[in-house]
mmCIF file of all heavy atoms in Angstrom:
data_model
loop_
_atom_site.group_PDB
_atom_site.id
_atom_site.type_symbol
_atom_site.label_atom_id
_atom_site.label_comp_id
_atom_site.label_asym_id
_atom_site.label_seq_id
_atom_site.Cartn_x
_atom_site.Cartn_y
_atom_site.Cartn_z
ATOM 1 N N GLY A 112 21.198 28.070 10.713
ATOM 2 C CA GLY A 112 22.092 29.215 10.775
ATOM 3 C C GLY A 112 21.868 30.083 12.001
ATOM 4 O O GLY A 112 21.291 29.656 12.995
ATOM 5 N N ASN A 113 22.305 31.326 11.932
ATOM 6 C CA ASN A 113 22.170 32.254 13.057
ATOM 7 C C ASN A 113 20.755 32.826 13.137
ATOM 8 O O ASN A 113 20.113 33.067 12.114
ATOM 9 C CB ASN A 113 23.175 33.399 12.933
ATOM 10 C CG ASN A 113 24.553 32.990 13.398
ATOM 11 O OD1 ASN A 113 24.840 31.796 13.552
ATOM 12 N ND2 ASN A 113 25.418 33.954 13.614
ATOM 13 N N TRP A 114 20.305 33.038 14.377
ATOM 14 C CA TRP A 114 18.979 33.606 14.636
ATOM 15 C C TRP A 114 19.134 35.012 15.203
ATOM 16 O O TRP A 114 20.231 35.438 15.582
ATOM 17 C CB TRP A 114 18.231 32.730 15.639
ATOM 18 C CG TRP A 114 17.782 31.407 15.092
ATOM 19 C CD1 TRP A 114 18.537 30.477 14.441
ATOM 20 C CD2 TRP A 114 16.462 30.871 15.149
ATOM 21 N NE1 TRP A 114 17.773 29.388 14.100
ATOM 22 C CE2 TRP A 114 16.498 29.604 14.517
ATOM 23 C CE3 TRP A 114 15.263 31.329 15.677
ATOM 24 C CZ2 TRP A 114 15.369 28.788 14.402
ATOM 25 C CZ3 TRP A 114 14.130 30.532 15.567
ATOM 26 C CH2 TRP A 114 14.189 29.281 14.928
ATOM 27 N N THR A 115 18.006 35.703 15.295
ATOM 28 C CA THR A 115 17.970 36.978 16.000
ATOM 29 C C THR A 115 17.761 36.681 17.478
ATOM 30 O O THR A 115 16.764 36.045 17.844
ATOM 31 C CB THR A 115 16.825 37.867 15.483
ATOM 32 O OG1 THR A 115 16.995 38.073 14.076
ATOM 33 C CG2 THR A 115 16.811 39.208 16.208
ATOM 34 N N PRO A 116 18.684 37.071 18.366
ATOM 35 C CA PRO A 116 18.584 36.663 19.775
ATOM 36 C C PRO A 116 17.421 37.316 20.509
ATOM 37 O O PRO A 116 16.885 38.344 20.083
ATOM 38 C CB PRO A 116 19.925 37.120 20.363
ATOM 39 C CG PRO A 116 20.366 38.236 19.477
ATOM 40 C CD PRO A 116 19.885 37.888 18.099
ATOM 41 N N ALA A 117 17.052 36.704 21.639
ATOM 42 C CA ALA A 117 16.039 37.264 22.525
ATOM 43 C C ALA A 117 16.586 38.516 23.202
ATOM 44 O O ALA A 117 17.798 38.684 23.341
ATOM 45 C CB ALA A 117 15.636 36.228 23.572
ATOM 46 N N LEU A 118 15.667 39.391 23.623
ATOM 47 C CA LEU A 118 16.055 40.622 24.308
ATOM 48 C C LEU A 118 15.414 40.695 25.677
ATOM 49 O O LEU A 118 14.231 40.359 25.848
ATOM 50 C CB LEU A 118 15.633 41.850 23.490
ATOM 51 C CG LEU A 118 16.257 42.014 22.101
ATOM 52 C CD1 LEU A 118 15.683 43.256 21.429
ATOM 53 C CD2 LEU A 118 17.777 42.116 22.183
ATOM 54 N N GLN A 119 16.167 41.116 26.659
ATOM 55 C CA GLN A 119 15.669 41.389 28.008
ATOM 56 C C GLN A 119 16.308 42.693 28.483
ATOM 57 O O GLN A 119 17.532 42.838 28.456
ATOM 58 C CB GLN A 119 16.019 40.244 28.967
ATOM 59 C CG GLN A 119 15.512 40.423 30.378
ATOM 60 C CD GLN A 119 14.004 40.298 30.462
ATOM 61 O OE1 GLN A 119 13.360 39.801 29.544
ATOM 62 N NE2 GLN A 119 13.453 40.748 31.569
ATOM 63 N N ASN A 120 15.457 43.633 28.878
ATOM 64 C CA ASN A 120 15.947 44.956 29.290
ATOM 65 C C ASN A 120 16.791 45.600 28.199
ATOM 66 O O ASN A 120 17.794 46.282 28.477
ATOM 67 C CB ASN A 120 16.750 44.851 30.594
ATOM 68 C CG ASN A 120 15.919 44.346 31.758
ATOM 69 O OD1 ASN A 120 14.737 44.691 31.877
ATOM 70 N ND2 ASN A 120 16.520 43.540 32.618
ATOM 71 N N GLY A 121 16.382 45.346 26.963
ATOM 72 C CA GLY A 121 17.052 45.951 25.829
ATOM 73 C C GLY A 121 18.365 45.307 25.441
ATOM 74 O O GLY A 121 19.037 45.773 24.514
ATOM 75 N N LYS A 122 18.757 44.222 26.121
ATOM 76 C CA LYS A 122 20.017 43.555 25.832
ATOM 77 C C LYS A 122 19.777 42.128 25.313
ATOM 78 O O LYS A 122 18.847 41.456 25.748
ATOM 79 C CB LYS A 122 20.883 43.498 27.092
ATOM 80 C CG LYS A 122 21.318 44.866 27.596
ATOM 81 C CD LYS A 122 22.215 44.715 28.813
ATOM 82 C CE LYS A 122 22.683 46.073 29.319
ATOM 83 N NZ LYS A 122 23.560 45.938 30.510
ATOM 84 N N ALA A 123 20.639 41.691 24.404
ATOM 85 C CA ALA A 123 20.549 40.323 23.887
ATOM 86 C C ALA A 123 20.893 39.329 24.992
ATOM 87 O O ALA A 123 21.839 39.538 25.759
ATOM 88 C CB ALA A 123 21.497 40.146 22.710
#
Side-chain angles (χ1 to χ4, degrees):
N113 280 15
W114 289 52
T115 302
L118 298 178
Q119 181 70 16
N120 298 323
K122 295 182 179 180

